[in-house]
Amino acid sequence: MDIEKPAAPQYTLQDRYQLLVEGIVDYAIYMLDPTGVVTSWNRGAQRIKGYADYEIIGEHFSRFYTYEDRTTGLPARALAIAETEGRFEQEGWRVRKDGSLMWAHVLIDPIRSEDGTLLGFAKVTRDLSEQQATKEALRQSEQRFRLLVQGVQDYAIYMLDPNGQVTSWNKGAQRFKGYSDEEIIGEHFSRFYTDEDRLSERPATALRTAAQAGRFEAEGWRVRKDGSRFWANVVIDPIRGEHGELVGFAKITRDITERRDAQLALEETRARFIQSQKMEAIGQLTGGVAHDFNNLLAVILGNLNLALKRLPPDPKLRQLIDNSIQAADRGATLTKRMLAFARRQELSTTPVDVPDLIRGMSDLLQRSIGANIPVGMHFPLKLPRVLADANQLELVVLNLCVNARDATPAGGTITLVAREAFITAEDVRGLKPGNYVCLSVIDTGEGMDAETLAKAAEPFFTTKGVGKGTGLGLSMVHGFAEQSGGRLILKSTKGQGTTAELWLPEADLGNAPQTEQQPEDELPRLDPVTALVVDDDALVLMNTTAMLEDLGHTVVEATSGEQALRILRRSKGTIDLVITDQMMPGMTGTQLVEAIRTEHPDMVAILASGYTELPEDTLIPVTRLTKPFGQSELALALVTSLRPEGFALPVRPKLP
């Protein structure tokens, strides 16, 4: 008996289209009525946008747009363009159900009846977030590479075709070869070689070696446009296509004429210079560590001072907090020394109490010198202050004591003595008439003969072995003394030790710059303001917020420059000022201030940083706040920024 098979389901053309649309998961395909309300929803739309059909049908499609796009009326314009022009197409940010953003390609087509009546719109959206991220990363990478190559001025970086014709030319090549890109592109690179090298076919040999061995490197004479010669280091690398075919060469040339001359004439000096370069690298590392330490100290000092205000009347507890503040202040002082060593600390000349300064660094001196050499100090009960940079003076004292230690390898003593002196007439030492303080570092070490003593303060001169000294120590002390209006005087006898006298002029306290800040109780009070605080360090951000709120102000927080800009755009003028950190990833504080001023020209800004390496030539006026700062410094910065005509703050002046 035959079993009758069930008839296959019959689908109309409309059913087939419906199944097709519903089966697509890589595109959001849905319908809108003429007003923009969603009337259908496929599986692709649910996957990409996150809404189930029952959640979104009947809702207006503008909810997929960002707040900024809705504010500018983009959804309504999109429908109007589609209706009038027959199509709307765009790429831009769209919002998923969970609030995340995606980069979308959008098509909107009008749907009309046979008589032309608008029935609604068909909307197709594709998520291009991954493609956009890849494209943007590639664009930024290419842009950075172009900027890198064009910005390098110490190297000639250019391209050659397989025959050796120049196809690109950077600023470094123009600077020390003398040709502009219009003059040299299309010319053969052999014109940079000497006649002797061209006769021996060295240019062709260089390209052949690079193509066969994968690299060519050499040093030799090269010729500038004006005919002069320079000694060059040359590297040539082959550039190959996807299938290994040779498409050209990358050529890097560096003018090392000075280095070659120094190698020929002063090989020993060159070795010491390399040592000084290593010290510079250590200084950069020290500066980076000090920057992070500054942030930690800012949090500690800020929180301790806020806690001190809220302490119950318990003398022992207050003493503990006071001791902690003193320890944190000592840490801040240490940080300043580290930044000064790294040349990232803004230095200023102030009245300095020499005995107090040396006593404050006594532990550091003893650790640096070692326990086997006793250090004595002899200071009068009262000594005038000197006008000097305290951080630099500390480094000078440390340098002189370390030199004294190295001069007493068999043991001995080091003594620091200070005295007041008055010079009535310019003497043989070059000191002008006036009041001075003479600080002497006296050791009982090996001493120097007359010939060595005459050269001791010359740059790069040292009696220490290779790698044990740069020969810059005493010359730096000499320069510091000269710039401070004083002198470095060395006295020594072979076998009888050395005395280094540092003469510094007394400070005129009536005209000396004042750095002491106004006590917090005397600070002018401001009406409550709303401040946007920006810092990528959560601890610093919380501490700054706490200090501002304790002063009665309202705080809005942001952890990046980009977030701060978004907050300002939504604030509708409710934010009075911005306080931003400088060293932040993505967007620095100076970049943020410049971006803010393009949209809010009158916005008050305060820049917090422990560094002085800021782009002063491009930065618009802004008050600076040095890290680590306390509540009093913060309050003074607020008053200076918001009421500059009524209160003068002794801080770094605003930039022009």
Side-chain angles (χ1 to χ4, degrees):
M1 181 174 99
D2 293 335
I3 298 176
E4 186 175 332
K5 295 182 180 179
Q10 300 296 316
Y11 294 106
T12 65
L13 182 59
Q14 182 177 355
D15 293 334
R16 295 176 187 273
Y17 277 123
Q18 182 69 23
L19 290 172
L20 172 64
V21 171
E22 288 296 330
I24 294 174
V25 295
D26 289 331
Y27 291 81
I29 305 175
Y30 53 98
M31 303 285 293
L32 308 175
D33 70 10
T35 65
V37 173
V38 178
T39 58
S40 72
W41 196 248
N42 80 328
R43 290 185 355 188
Q46 180 173 342
R47 186 185 69 83
I48 293 173
K49 295 182 179 283
Y51 295 94
D53 51 3
Y54 64 84
E55 293 177 300
I56 201 64
I57 291 177
E59 300 291 332
H60 198 271
F61 86 113
S62 61
R63 70 163 48 194
F64 307 136
Y65 286 74
T66 64
Y67 172 79
E68 292 80 7
D69 286 346
R70 293 198 302 272
T71 302
T72 59
L74 179 59
R77 289 203 309 276
L79 296 185
I81 292 172
E83 180 180 0
T84 57
E85 300 182 10
R87 179 187 181 90
F88 173 82
E89 183 174 4
Q90 187 196 52
E91 287 188 7
W93 292 111
R94 294 296 183 268
V95 184
R96 298 186 180 94
K97 176 184 176 182
D98 60 6
S100 61
L101 297 178
M102 66 173 177
W103 187 262
H105 177 268
V106 177
L107 281 174
I108 303 178
D109 290 299
I111 301 174
R112 299 183 182 276
S113 64
E114 293 182 358
D115 61 1
T117 301
L118 180 66
L119 301 177
F121 300 90
K123 194 165 187 296
V124 180
T125 302
R126 186 181 183 190
D127 185 357
L128 298 179
S129 299
E130 293 184 3
Q131 296 93 321
Q132 175 68 12
T134 302
K135 180 180 177 182
E136 179 64 17
L138 179 61
R139 185 193 67 80
Q140 292 183 3
S141 176
E142 292 175 346
Q143 183 182 32
R144 285 194 296 267
F145 181 75
R146 286 195 299 271
L147 292 173
L148 170 66
V149 172
Q150 286 301 323
V152 172
Q153 297 193 24
D154 290 334
Y155 291 81
I157 304 176
Y158 53 99
M159 304 284 293
L160 308 175
D161 68 12
N163 297 319
Q165 265 77 29
V166 178
T167 59
S168 71
W169 197 245
N170 81 324
K171 291 181 180 179
Q174 181 175 343
R175 184 179 69 85
F176 60 78
K177 292 195 182 229
Y179 297 94
S180 66
D181 49 3
E182 294 86 358
E183 293 175 302
I184 201 63
I185 290 179
E187 299 293 327
H188 199 272
F189 85 111
S190 59
R191 68 162 51 193
F192 309 135
Y193 285 71
T194 63
D195 293 337
E196 298 84 354
D197 286 346
R198 286 198 298 271
L199 288 175
S200 61
E201 297 185 347
R202 286 197 176 184
T205 301
L207 296 187
R208 184 169 58 252
T209 302
Q212 295 175 353
R215 178 184 176 85
F216 172 82
E217 182 172 5
E219 291 186 6
W221 291 112
R222 296 294 183 269
V223 183
R224 298 187 178 94
K225 178 183 175 181
D226 61 7
S228 60
R229 294 187 176 192
F230 65 99
W231 189 262
N233 173 268
V234 177
V235 176
I236 303 177
D237 289 298
I239 301 174
R240 300 190 179 276
E242 295 182 357
H243 305 291
E245 72 278 12
L246 182 67
V247 297
F249 299 91
K251 193 168 187 294
I252 301 177
T253 303
R254 186 183 183 190
D255 181 357
I256 58 171
T257 306
E258 293 182 2
R259 190 186 73 179
R260 178 178 182 271
D261 292 343
Q263 288 174 338
L264 295 176
L266 299 170
E267 189 64 34
E268 184 178 356
T269 300
R270 187 184 70 86
R272 293 170 185 158
F273 179 74
I274 292 174
Q275 179 68 16
S276 69
Q277 293 281 43
K278 294 179 182 178
M279 296 302 295
E280 178 67 20
I282 295 173
Q284 293 179 359
L285 174 63
T286 303
V289 172
H291 170 263
D292 293 338
F293 195 36
N294 254 340
N295 281 344
L296 296 176
L297 285 172
V299 175
I300 294 171
L301 284 169
N303 287 336
L304 285 173
N305 280 293
L306 288 176
L308 193 62
K309 290 183 175 183
R310 295 164 172 77
L311 282 181
D314 185 341
K316 291 185 177 180
L317 185 57
R318 178 172 291 273
Q319 183 180 14
L320 291 175
I321 296 295
D322 286 338
N323 287 343
S324 298
I325 292 175
Q326 291 177 17
D329 284 335
R330 290 177 63 183
T333 301
L334 175 61
T335 305
K336 290 179 181 178
R337 291 174 183 163
M338 295 168 67
L339 287 172
F341 173 72
R343 298 186 181 181
R344 294 186 179 184
Q345 174 71 29
E346 186 172 359
L347 303 176
S348 58
T349 302
T350 58
V352 178
D353 188 315
V354 173
D356 281 354
L357 179 139
I358 294 177
R359 292 188 188 102
M361 60 182 298
S362 59
D363 290 342
L364 174 64
L365 286 176
Q366 193 65 70
R367 286 196 304 270
S368 302
I369 295 171
N372 62 321
I373 300 179
V375 180
M377 299 182 186
H378 299 289
F379 305 130
L381 294 177
K382 186 176 181 181
L383 192 68
R385 297 188 178 191
V386 299
L387 191 61
D389 185 298
N391 290 315
Q392 287 284 51
L393 182 55
E394 286 182 344
L395 291 176
V396 164
V397 173
L398 179 61
N399 197 317
L400 292 175
C401 289
V402 170
N403 278 351
R405 176 203 65 189
D406 294 341
T408 56
T413 61
I414 298 175
T415 307
L416 283 78
V417 179
R419 60 185 174 89
E420 183 180 7
F422 180 72
I423 305 298
T424 57
E426 186 167 348
D427 58 12
V428 294
R429 297 168 294 188
L431 291 168
K432 296 180 180 179
N435 294 325
Y436 290 84
V437 170
C438 176
L439 173 64
S440 301
V441 179
I442 306 168
D443 69 68
T444 59
E446 299 174 343
M448 295 179 281
D449 56 29
E451 182 180 356
T452 304
L453 181 62
K455 299 179 180 179
E458 293 181 1
F460 300 112
F461 178 81
T462 180
T463 58
K464 302 173 185 177
V466 176
K468 295 183 180 180
T470 63
L472 296 173
L474 286 177
S475 63
M476 292 173 64
V477 176
H478 173 76
F480 166 78
E482 294 279 337
Q483 292 171 7
S484 302
R487 287 288 184 274
L488 170 66
I489 299 173
L490 297 176
K491 301 176 181 179
S492 185
T493 302
K494 188 66 175 177
Q496 298 182 20
T498 300
T499 297
E501 293 183 351
L502 183 64
W503 290 72
L504 296 172
E506 289 185 13
D508 182 355
L509 297 182
N511 298 323
Q514 299 299 312
T515 59
E516 295 183 359
Q517 295 183 348
Q518 206 168 339
E520 185 176 346
D521 293 340
E522 300 177 13
L523 292 178
R525 292 295 178 180
L526 285 173
D527 293 333
V529 298
T530 300
L532 173 59
V533 180
V534 190
D535 202 303
D536 62 310
D537 190 311
L539 292 176
V540 177
L541 184 62
M542 182 178 67
N543 177 65
T544 306
T545 297
M547 289 191 291
L548 287 169
E549 290 177 343
D550 184 68
L551 292 171
H553 304 302
T554 302
V555 180
V556 180
E557 297 181 348
T559 57
S560 68
E562 294 81 0
Q563 184 185 14
L565 290 175
R566 291 196 295 270
I567 291 173
L568 281 173
R569 292 180 184 126
R570 297 195 298 265
S571 67
K572 298 182 179 180
T574 59
I575 292 176
D576 300 301
L577 80 158
V578 176
I579 303 173
T580 177
D581 182 34
Q582 166 62 10
M583 302 298 291
M584 296 187 296
M587 180 183 293
T588 64
T590 52
Q591 291 170 341
L592 172 60
V593 172
E594 290 175 343
I596 290 173
R597 294 290 172 83
T598 60
E599 301 180 21
H600 309 275
D602 298 326
M603 178 62 67
V604 175
I606 296 175
L607 189 66
S609 175
Y611 287 81
T612 59
E613 296 174 350
L614 302 176
E616 299 191 10
D617 55 337
T618 60
L619 184 62
I620 49 185
V622 61
T623 298
R624 296 188 184 178
L625 188 59
T626 302
K627 286 185 174 181
F629 55 84
Q631 191 176 35
S632 59
E633 292 89 351
L634 179 59
L636 284 168
L638 289 177
V639 173
T640 302
S641 300
L642 296 173
R643 288 168 44 191
E645 72 288 349
F647 187 80
L649 177 68
V651 296
R652 187 173 185 169
K654 293 184 177 182
L655 300 174

